[in-house]
């Protein structure tokens, strides 16, 4: 098959990690007889520098015309003090919204060979950890009304968290579809003891599951307690469904439990098959251009694209197995380096994974 992939390299380590993922996809193409065409578009800080906007129109049209999108990362010190419309993050939020990608799936998995990289005590993680965070991505406080006013000590600013039943139901459906193939358990995270929007969230997820997926057990957990439980007993989690902002925060925490944020990928989808696939980590400007960044998260993001957008399960598994085997053999980038293992740079890591496919 032929697939057109839009590549948004972004800033910092973005171009290096995308190039690692492309190398692996090309190898998949050779092995399984697919043709991947890559077209690069600007986003984030590099787009601000070139076109004075973090999300040029050509990027949006290019993504909407593609079969799927691979994204590196956006942001960097250089643009940290720019006005809000000229910030790299605006490009990322803008493309999520423009493609209507309301469902963000962030699996935090602890690889067997990396158990000792977890900052948690071995007895807490030895039986494996796989927390699949289903984060609502186009609503909530990220996109609610906001404003500011006043001056001096009277200056004020506000953001609003708002969710509709429609938005909660459609993300819950995604969580249910995942849970049905797994433990049939969902933990829904909210702050219903304080927030009105969370009370609607809680009521809606239960009503929806009871009506459409009665075999699924839905438990509620307050977000503060969830933050604690993730480090206390991470093995209790399977599928977690939550709002945009809670998902943002908890996915970084869950990622760290697995040892390296450099290992975790995410998929963002809407109603169609065209998605946006990216690592969970950021653009790491401090290590950009040194070829030390771990490309595995982006490689796994590319694998998720094959599975979730193109329905290529075998190709997904081939990448996952290649990553597992390279780790088993002791190859490590700096972020996951352990005593007695072989340190490799980012491009070598991608090469090793590609070779094993
Ligand atoms: C993420 C990031 C983004 C977010 C930022 C860069 C806007 O933290 O994808 O988790 O908050 O969604
Ligand atoms: Mg985040």
């Amino acid at each position: 098959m032929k697939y057109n992939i839009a590549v948004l390299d972004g800033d910092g380590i973005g171009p290096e990690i995308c190039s690692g993922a492309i190398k692996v996809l090309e190898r998949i193409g050779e092995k399984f007889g697919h043709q991947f065409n890559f077209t690069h578009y600007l986003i984030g800080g590099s787009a601000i520098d070139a076109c004075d906007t973090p999300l040029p129109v050509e990027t949006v049209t290019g993504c909407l015309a593609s079969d799927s999108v691979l994204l590196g990362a956006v942001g960097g010190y250089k643009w940290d003090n720019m006005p809000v419309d000229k910030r790299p993050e605006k490009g990322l939020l803008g493309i999520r919204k423009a493609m209507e990608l309301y469902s963000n799936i962030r699996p935090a998995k602890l690889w067997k060979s990396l158990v000792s990289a977890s900052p948690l005590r071995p007895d807490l993680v030895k039986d494996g950890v796989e927390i699949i965070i289903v984060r609502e991505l186009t609503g909530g406080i990220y996109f609610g009304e906001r404003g500011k006013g006043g001056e001096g000590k009277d200056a004020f600013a506000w953001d609003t968290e708002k969710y509709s039943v429609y938005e909660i139901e459609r993300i819950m459906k995604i969580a249910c579809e995942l849970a049905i193939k797994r433990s049939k358990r969902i933990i829904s995270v909210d702050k219903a003891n304080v927030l009105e929007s969370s009370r609607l969230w809680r009521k809606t997820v239960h009503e929806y599951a009871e009506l459409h997926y009665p075999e699924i057990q839905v438990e509620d957990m307050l977000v503060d307690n969830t933050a604690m439980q993730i480090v206390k007993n991470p093995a209790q989690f399977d599928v977690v469904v939550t709002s945009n902002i809670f998902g943002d925060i908890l996915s970084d925490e869950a990622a760290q439990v697995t040892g390296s944020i450099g290992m975790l990928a995410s998929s963002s989808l809407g109603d169609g098959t065209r998605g946006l696939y990216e690592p969970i980590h950021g653009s790491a400007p401090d290590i950009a251009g040194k070829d030390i960044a771990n490309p595995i998260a982006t490689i796994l993001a590319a694998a998720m694209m094959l599975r979730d957008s193109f329905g290529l399960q075998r190709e997904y598994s081939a990448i996952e197995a290649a990553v597992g085997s390279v780790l088993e053999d002791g190859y490590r980038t700096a972020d996951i380096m352990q005593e007695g293992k072989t340190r490799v740079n980012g491009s070598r890591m991608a090469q090793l994974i590609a070779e094993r496919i």
Side-chain angles (χ1 to χ4, degrees):
M1 283 282 283
K2 237 167 121 172
Y3 300 97
N4 293 319
I5 299 176
V7 182
L8 312 182
D9 298 278
D11 311 314
I13 59 170
E16 311 163 31
I17 54 179
C18 282
S19 121
I22 289 174
K23 200 183 286 178
V24 171
L25 284 174
E26 277 171 343
R27 179 76 179 151
I28 286 284
E30 276 164 40
K31 275 276 168 183
F32 292 84
H34 304 298
Q35 191 189 326
F36 298 110
N37 299 321
F38 301 99
T39 314
H40 296 257
Y41 298 96
L42 290 170
I43 193 165
S46 46
I48 297 174
D49 288 352
C51 334
D52 207 32
T53 163
L55 187 63
V57 181
E58 305 83 76
T59 300
V60 177
T61 19
C63 289
L64 290 174
S66 72
D67 294 315
S68 230
V69 182
L70 182 70
L71 182 131
V74 297
Y77 314 125
K78 188 175 168 191
W79 307 281
D80 271 354
N81 296 314
M82 298 286 246
V84 76
D85 276 351
K86 296 262 159 66
R87 288 188 60 107
E89 292 79 9
K90 190 89 184 172
L92 182 57
L93 298 178
I95 194 69
R96 288 173 180 167
K97 195 73 172 177
M99 293 174 70
E100 293 177 68
L101 307 172
Y102 60 83
S103 141
N104 182 216
I105 298 177
R106 301 188 156 191
K109 167 178 159 171
L110 181 64
W111 294 74
K112 245 205 271 128
S113 41
L114 293 182
V115 167
S116 62
S118 171
L120 295 190
R121 272 198 337 255
D123 60 300
L124 295 176
V125 293
K126 66 175 187 330
D127 298 328
V129 174
E130 193 167 5
I131 308 177
I132 310 222
I133 297 187
V134 180
R135 169 188 178 193
E136 198 291 324
L137 201 61
T138 51
I141 200 162
Y142 272 60
F143 293 96
E145 274 179 43
R146 56 173 56 100
K148 56 184 179 179
E151 264 175 45
K153 291 223 183 296
D154 292 325
F156 60 91
W158 50 277
D159 301 271
T160 39
E161 171 90 349
K162 180 175 170 187
Y163 271 111
S164 67
V165 168
Y166 169 74
E167 288 173 306
I168 302 164
E169 283 187 350
R170 67 179 182 175
I171 192 67
M172 187 57 182
K173 176 166 197 279
I174 305 283
C176 288
E177 282 298 322
L178 266 170
I180 210 130
K181 296 188 219 120
R182 300 175 53 91
S183 65
K184 300 193 170 55
R185 271 182 60 235
I186 295 179
I187 293 185
S188 167
V189 176
D190 61 39
K191 187 69 187 172
N193 53 348
V194 177
L195 303 177
E196 204 57 67
S197 52
S198 278
R199 286 190 276 273
L200 181 69
W201 181 283
R202 188 173 282 207
K203 176 170 175 280
T204 308
V205 295
H206 284 281
E207 286 176 0
Y208 184 82
E210 272 156 34
L211 188 62
H212 300 282
Y213 296 85
E215 62 275 56
I216 291 181
Q217 181 201 334
V218 184
E219 275 169 58
D220 305 302
M221 202 179 271
L222 294 171
V223 63
D224 47 352
N225 183 32
T226 310
M228 180 178 75
Q229 294 296 336
I230 287 177
V231 289
K232 192 175 167 205
N233 177 15
Q236 72 184 290
F237 294 96
D238 184 40
V239 176
V240 171
V241 67
T242 192
S243 65
N244 205 343
I245 185 130
F246 295 161
D248 177 47
I249 299 165
L250 295 175
S251 61
D252 269 32
E253 189 191 7
Q256 190 52 51
V257 163
T258 69
S260 172
I261 196 162
M263 298 289 301
L264 302 186
S266 91
S267 83
S268 306
L269 282 157
D271 283 329
T273 58
R274 186 190 308 111
L276 182 138
Y277 297 82
E278 57 178 315
I280 287 182
H281 61 72
S283 61
D286 51 327
I287 59 163
K290 298 186 181 154
D291 196 19
I292 52 179
N294 186 351
I296 294 181
T298 319
I299 290 171
L300 292 170
M304 286 178 92
M305 173 191 294
L306 299 182
R307 184 190 62 189
D308 300 344
S309 278
F310 307 155
L312 304 175
Q313 179 64 49
R314 274 193 324 147
E315 289 80 340
Y316 167 83
S317 304
I319 298 179
E320 201 188 29
V323 170
S325 129
V326 168
L327 293 174
E328 276 313 309
D329 285 351
Y331 294 103
R332 302 281 187 273
T333 41
D335 58 317
I336 49 174
M337 186 57 194
Q338 297 156 299
E339 223 184 293
K341 306 292 178 195
T342 314
R343 185 167 162 177
V344 293
N345 62 24
S347 55
R348 179 82 187 119
M349 177 58 96
Q351 185 64 39
L352 284 165
I353 294 167
E355 279 165 9
R356 282 172 199 227
I357 286 167

